[in-house]
PDB file of all heavy atoms in Angstrom:
ATOM      1  N   ALA A  22      78.733  37.204 -10.042  1.00  0.00           N
ATOM      2  CA  ALA A  22      77.628  37.888 -10.704  1.00  0.00           C
ATOM      3  C   ALA A  22      78.183  39.043 -11.494  1.00  0.00           C
ATOM      4  O   ALA A  22      78.757  39.981 -10.933  1.00  0.00           O
ATOM      5  CB  ALA A  22      76.630  38.389  -9.661  1.00  0.00           C
ATOM      6  N   VAL A  71      78.179  24.647  -2.938  1.00  0.00           N
ATOM      7  CA  VAL A  71      76.993  25.408  -2.566  1.00  0.00           C
ATOM      8  C   VAL A  71      76.987  26.721  -3.322  1.00  0.00           C
ATOM      9  O   VAL A  71      77.973  27.469  -3.297  1.00  0.00           O
ATOM     10  CB  VAL A  71      76.942  25.666  -1.048  1.00  0.00           C
ATOM     11  CG1 VAL A  71      75.716  26.493  -0.700  1.00  0.00           C
ATOM     12  CG2 VAL A  71      76.972  24.366  -0.298  1.00  0.00           C
ATOM     13  N   GLN A  96      90.308  22.295 -12.695  1.00  0.00           N
ATOM     14  CA  GLN A  96      90.545  22.596 -14.098  1.00  0.00           C
ATOM     15  C   GLN A  96      91.343  21.471 -14.740  1.00  0.00           C
ATOM     16  O   GLN A  96      92.262  20.923 -14.138  1.00  0.00           O
ATOM     17  CB  GLN A  96      91.305  23.924 -14.234  1.00  0.00           C
ATOM     18  CG  GLN A  96      90.511  25.143 -13.793  1.00  0.00           C
ATOM     19  CD  GLN A  96      89.410  25.489 -14.776  1.00  0.00           C
ATOM     20  OE1 GLN A  96      89.400  24.967 -15.883  1.00  0.00           O
ATOM     21  NE2 GLN A  96      88.497  26.358 -14.360  1.00  0.00           N
ATOM     22  N   THR A 132      61.084  36.464 -20.467  1.00  0.00           N
ATOM     23  CA  THR A 132      60.490  37.247 -19.392  1.00  0.00           C
ATOM     24  C   THR A 132      59.817  36.313 -18.388  1.00  0.00           C
ATOM     25  O   THR A 132      59.089  35.385 -18.773  1.00  0.00           O
ATOM     26  CB  THR A 132      59.467  38.231 -19.954  1.00  0.00           C
ATOM     27  OG1 THR A 132      60.114  39.077 -20.915  1.00  0.00           O
ATOM     28  CG2 THR A 132      58.867  39.081 -18.843  1.00  0.00           C
ATOM     29  N   ALA A 267      32.847  46.060  -9.171  1.00  0.00           N
ATOM     30  CA  ALA A 267      31.773  45.060  -9.245  1.00  0.00           C
ATOM     31  C   ALA A 267      30.481  45.728  -8.812  1.00  0.00           C
ATOM     32  O   ALA A 267      30.493  46.898  -8.372  1.00  0.00           O
ATOM     33  CB  ALA A 267      32.082  43.843  -8.373  1.00  0.00           C
ATOM     34  N   ASN A 316       1.533  39.255   1.976  1.00  0.00           N
ATOM     35  CA  ASN A 316       1.212  40.606   2.447  1.00  0.00           C
ATOM     36  C   ASN A 316       0.287  41.339   1.487  1.00  0.00           C
ATOM     37  O   ASN A 316      -0.327  42.346   1.860  1.00  0.00           O
ATOM     38  CB  ASN A 316       2.502  41.410   2.626  1.00  0.00           C
ATOM     39  CG  ASN A 316       3.441  40.771   3.628  1.00  0.00           C
ATOM     40  OD1 ASN A 316       2.998  40.178   4.610  1.00  0.00           O
ATOM     41  ND2 ASN A 316       4.734  40.878   3.392  1.00  0.00           N
ATOM     42  N   PHE A 332     -25.146  34.770  -2.044  1.00  0.00           N
ATOM     43  CA  PHE A 332     -23.939  35.135  -2.778  1.00  0.00           C
ATOM     44  C   PHE A 332     -22.711  34.628  -2.007  1.00  0.00           C
ATOM     45  O   PHE A 332     -22.754  34.416  -0.789  1.00  0.00           O
ATOM     46  CB  PHE A 332     -23.853  36.653  -2.968  1.00  0.00           C
ATOM     47  CG  PHE A 332     -24.955  37.218  -3.810  1.00  0.00           C
ATOM     48  CD1 PHE A 332     -26.127  37.698  -3.223  1.00  0.00           C
ATOM     49  CD2 PHE A 332     -24.831  37.270  -5.185  1.00  0.00           C
ATOM     50  CE1 PHE A 332     -27.135  38.219  -3.986  1.00  0.00           C
ATOM     51  CE2 PHE A 332     -25.852  37.792  -5.967  1.00  0.00           C
ATOM     52  CZ  PHE A 332     -27.011  38.266  -5.363  1.00  0.00           C
ATOM     53  N   ALA A 348     -24.372  31.677  -4.904  1.00  0.00           N
ATOM     54  CA  ALA A 348     -24.266  30.446  -4.130  1.00  0.00           C
ATOM     55  C   ALA A 348     -25.576  29.675  -4.101  1.00  0.00           C
ATOM     56  O   ALA A 348     -25.564  28.442  -4.005  1.00  0.00           O
ATOM     57  CB  ALA A 348     -23.818  30.747  -2.700  1.00  0.00           C
ATOM     58  N   PRO A 350     -29.746  29.527  -5.914  1.00  0.00           N
ATOM     59  CA  PRO A 350     -30.530  30.039  -7.056  1.00  0.00           C
ATOM     60  C   PRO A 350     -31.313  31.296  -6.670  1.00  0.00           C
ATOM     61  O   PRO A 350     -31.909  31.381  -5.596  1.00  0.00           O
ATOM     62  CB  PRO A 350     -31.463  28.871  -7.394  1.00  0.00           C
ATOM     63  CG  PRO A 350     -30.820  27.664  -6.795  1.00  0.00           C
ATOM     64  CD  PRO A 350     -30.084  28.128  -5.578  1.00  0.00           C
ATOM     65  N   GLU A 400     -40.826  16.709  -6.074  1.00  0.00           N
ATOM     66  CA  GLU A 400     -40.431  15.460  -5.422  1.00  0.00           C
ATOM     67  C   GLU A 400     -39.625  14.635  -6.424  1.00  0.00           C
ATOM     68  O   GLU A 400     -40.176  14.064  -7.361  1.00  0.00           O
ATOM     69  CB  GLU A 400     -41.657  14.666  -4.968  1.00  0.00           C
ATOM     70  CG  GLU A 400     -41.310  13.387  -4.221  1.00  0.00           C
ATOM     71  CD  GLU A 400     -42.540  12.564  -3.874  1.00  0.00           C
ATOM     72  OE1 GLU A 400     -43.667  13.040  -4.176  1.00  0.00           O
ATOM     73  OE2 GLU A 400     -42.387  11.476  -3.311  1.00  0.00           O
ATOM     74  N   PRO A 430     -47.668  32.104 -17.050  1.00  0.00           N
ATOM     75  CA  PRO A 430     -47.968  30.665 -16.954  1.00  0.00           C
ATOM     76  C   PRO A 430     -47.765  29.964 -18.295  1.00  0.00           C
ATOM     77  O   PRO A 430     -48.026  30.529 -19.370  1.00  0.00           O
ATOM     78  CB  PRO A 430     -49.439  30.629 -16.518  1.00  0.00           C
ATOM     79  CG  PRO A 430     -49.688  31.975 -15.907  1.00  0.00           C
ATOM     80  CD  PRO A 430     -48.826  32.940 -16.661  1.00  0.00           C
ATOM     81  N   LEU A 492     -38.732   8.183 -11.322  1.00  0.00           N
ATOM     82  CA  LEU A 492     -39.821   7.450 -10.682  1.00  0.00           C
ATOM     83  C   LEU A 492     -39.265   6.097 -10.245  1.00  0.00           C
ATOM     84  O   LEU A 492     -38.867   5.280 -11.077  1.00  0.00           O
ATOM     85  CB  LEU A 492     -40.992   7.265 -11.642  1.00  0.00           C
ATOM     86  CG  LEU A 492     -42.192   6.479 -11.102  1.00  0.00           C
ATOM     87  CD1 LEU A 492     -42.777   7.158  -9.877  1.00  0.00           C
ATOM     88  CD2 LEU A 492     -43.244   6.283 -12.188  1.00  0.00           C
ATOM     89  N   ASN A 500     -45.529 -13.276  -0.688  1.00  0.00           N
ATOM     90  CA  ASN A 500     -45.007 -14.575  -0.251  1.00  0.00           C
ATOM     91  C   ASN A 500     -45.727 -15.687  -1.011  1.00  0.00           C
ATOM     92  O   ASN A 500     -46.728 -16.242  -0.555  1.00  0.00           O
ATOM     93  CB  ASN A 500     -45.206 -14.740   1.262  1.00  0.00           C
ATOM     94  CG  ASN A 500     -44.434 -15.934   1.797  1.00  0.00           C
ATOM     95  OD1 ASN A 500     -43.537 -16.440   1.142  1.00  0.00           O
ATOM     96  ND2 ASN A 500     -44.781 -16.378   2.987  1.00  0.00           N
ATOM     97  N   PRO A 508     -29.383 -29.352   1.384  1.00  0.00           N
ATOM     98  CA  PRO A 508     -29.686 -30.368   0.385  1.00  0.00           C
ATOM     99  C   PRO A 508     -30.768 -31.306   0.890  1.00  0.00           C
ATOM    100  O   PRO A 508     -31.029 -31.366   2.089  1.00  0.00           O
ATOM    101  CB  PRO A 508     -28.359 -31.092   0.219  1.00  0.00           C
ATOM    102  CG  PRO A 508     -27.736 -30.978   1.557  1.00  0.00           C
ATOM    103  CD  PRO A 508     -28.126 -29.640   2.100  1.00  0.00           C
ATOM    104  N   PRO A 573     -29.830 -48.645  13.724  1.00  0.00           N
ATOM    105  CA  PRO A 573     -29.120 -49.529  12.788  1.00  0.00           C
ATOM    106  C   PRO A 573     -28.749 -48.748  11.533  1.00  0.00           C
ATOM    107  O   PRO A 573     -29.436 -47.816  11.130  1.00  0.00           O
ATOM    108  CB  PRO A 573     -30.144 -50.633  12.506  1.00  0.00           C
ATOM    109  CG  PRO A 573     -31.141 -50.548  13.608  1.00  0.00           C
ATOM    110  CD  PRO A 573     -31.191 -49.131  14.015  1.00  0.00           C
ATOM    111  N   GLN A 594     -44.195 -29.662   3.297  1.00  0.00           N
ATOM    112  CA  GLN A 594     -43.606 -30.883   3.847  1.00  0.00           C
ATOM    113  C   GLN A 594     -42.732 -31.528   2.782  1.00  0.00           C
ATOM    114  O   GLN A 594     -43.161 -31.708   1.646  1.00  0.00           O
ATOM    115  CB  GLN A 594     -44.693 -31.863   4.310  1.00  0.00           C
ATOM    116  CG  GLN A 594     -44.139 -33.138   4.944  1.00  0.00           C
ATOM    117  CD  GLN A 594     -45.215 -33.971   5.604  1.00  0.00           C
ATOM    118  OE1 GLN A 594     -45.887 -33.502   6.523  1.00  0.00           O
ATOM    119  NE2 GLN A 594     -45.413 -35.183   5.123  1.00  0.00           N
ATOM    120  N   GLY A 605     -17.289 -44.392  13.721  1.00  0.00           N
ATOM    121  CA  GLY A 605     -15.895 -44.630  14.057  1.00  0.00           C
ATOM    122  C   GLY A 605     -15.540 -43.942  15.361  1.00  0.00           C
ATOM    123  O   GLY A 605     -16.374 -43.345  16.042  1.00  0.00           O
ATOM    124  N   GLY A 623     -25.522 -34.578  -1.325  1.00  0.00           N
ATOM    125  CA  GLY A 623     -26.641 -34.425  -2.232  1.00  0.00           C
ATOM    126  C   GLY A 623     -26.955 -35.655  -3.047  1.00  0.00           C
ATOM    127  O   GLY A 623     -27.751 -35.590  -3.972  1.00  0.00           O
ATOM    128  N   ASP A 729     -32.529 -77.304  25.023  1.00  0.00           N
ATOM    129  CA  ASP A 729     -33.159 -76.145  25.667  1.00  0.00           C
ATOM    130  C   ASP A 729     -32.822 -74.826  24.979  1.00  0.00           C
ATOM    131  O   ASP A 729     -33.183 -73.765  25.494  1.00  0.00           O
ATOM    132  CB  ASP A 729     -32.723 -76.071  27.133  1.00  0.00           C
ATOM    133  CG  ASP A 729     -33.089 -77.321  27.906  1.00  0.00           C
ATOM    134  OD1 ASP A 729     -34.087 -77.977  27.528  1.00  0.00           O
ATOM    135  OD2 ASP A 729     -32.367 -77.601  28.867  1.00  0.00           O
ATOM    136  N   ASP A 751     -36.585 -55.784  19.196  1.00  0.00           N
ATOM    137  CA  ASP A 751     -35.806 -56.946  19.647  1.00  0.00           C
ATOM    138  C   ASP A 751     -34.346 -56.579  19.738  1.00  0.00           C
ATOM    139  O   ASP A 751     -33.811 -55.916  18.855  1.00  0.00           O
ATOM    140  CB  ASP A 751     -35.996 -58.108  18.679  1.00  0.00           C
ATOM    141  CG  ASP A 751     -37.440 -58.556  18.638  1.00  0.00           C
ATOM    142  OD1 ASP A 751     -38.181 -58.262  19.611  1.00  0.00           O
ATOM    143  OD2 ASP A 751     -37.806 -59.167  17.628  1.00  0.00           O
ATOM    144  N   ARG A 791     -36.201 -66.096  13.939  1.00  0.00           N
ATOM    145  CA  ARG A 791     -35.092 -65.163  13.717  1.00  0.00           C
ATOM    146  C   ARG A 791     -33.940 -65.808  12.971  1.00  0.00           C
ATOM    147  O   ARG A 791     -33.174 -65.111  12.306  1.00  0.00           O
ATOM    148  CB  ARG A 791     -34.577 -64.614  15.053  1.00  0.00           C
ATOM    149  CG  ARG A 791     -35.339 -63.394  15.553  1.00  0.00           C
ATOM    150  CD  ARG A 791     -36.694 -63.717  16.027  1.00  0.00           C
ATOM    151  NE  ARG A 791     -37.374 -62.561  16.618  1.00  0.00           N
ATOM    152  CZ  ARG A 791     -38.610 -62.590  17.083  1.00  0.00           C
ATOM    153  NH1 ARG A 791     -39.293 -63.722  17.005  1.00  0.00           N
ATOM    154  NH2 ARG A 791     -39.167 -61.512  17.604  1.00  0.00           N
TER     155      ARG A 791
END
Side-chain angles (χ1 to χ4, degrees):
V71 178
Q96 293 288 347
T132 302
N316 300 325
F332 296 93
E400 183 184 357
L492 179 60
N500 192 17
Q594 182 170 300
D729 301 332
D751 297 339
R791 274 72 175 178

